[in-house]
């Protein structure tokens, strides 16, 4: 679930704990998406995806669904 923002990134609540967030972060990084994650609870249930160009958003769009499916099947 995206969280409303006024910055150059979108915070996404991954709907789980740090384990879920780290798994999503790792999958997206492997796909070439620049992602960060807060280090402390409860914020570490979220990831931060930086805003970018249209081609950057295409990379995110093509990576996000497969990563989420992979994480759901393993966590």
């Amino acid at each position: 679930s995206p969280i409303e923002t006024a910055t150059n990134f979108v915070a996404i609540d991954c709907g789980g704990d740090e384990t879920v967030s780290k798994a999503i972060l790792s999958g997206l990084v492997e796909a070439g998406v620049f992602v960060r994650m807060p280090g402390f609870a409860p914020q570490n249930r979220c990831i931060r995806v930086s805003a970018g160009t249209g081609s950057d958003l295409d990379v995110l769009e093509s990576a996000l669904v497969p990563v989420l499916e992979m994480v759901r099947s393993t966590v």
Side-chain angles (χ1 to χ4, degrees):
S1 302
I3 299 169
E4 188 174 330
T5 186
T7 64
N8 66 343
F9 65 88
V10 176
I12 301 170
D13 185 338
C14 295
D17 61 10
E18 177 182 20
T19 303
V20 173
S21 300
K22 280 185 178 180
I24 293 170
L25 178 134
S26 294
L28 289 174
V29 168
E30 286 179 25
V33 178
F34 181 72
V35 185
R36 299 181 74 175
M37 185 177 125
F40 300 97
Q43 291 90 354
N44 63 356
R45 66 180 282 135
C46 298
I47 58 172
R48 292 176 27 178
V49 180
S50 293
T53 65
S55 61
D56 294 334
L57 294 175
D58 291 341
V59 172
L60 173 61
E61 182 178 7
S62 67
L64 188 57
V65 171
V67 167
L68 292 176
E69 289 173 351
M70 182 269 306
V71 170
R72 287 184 185 132
S73 70
T74 60
V75 176

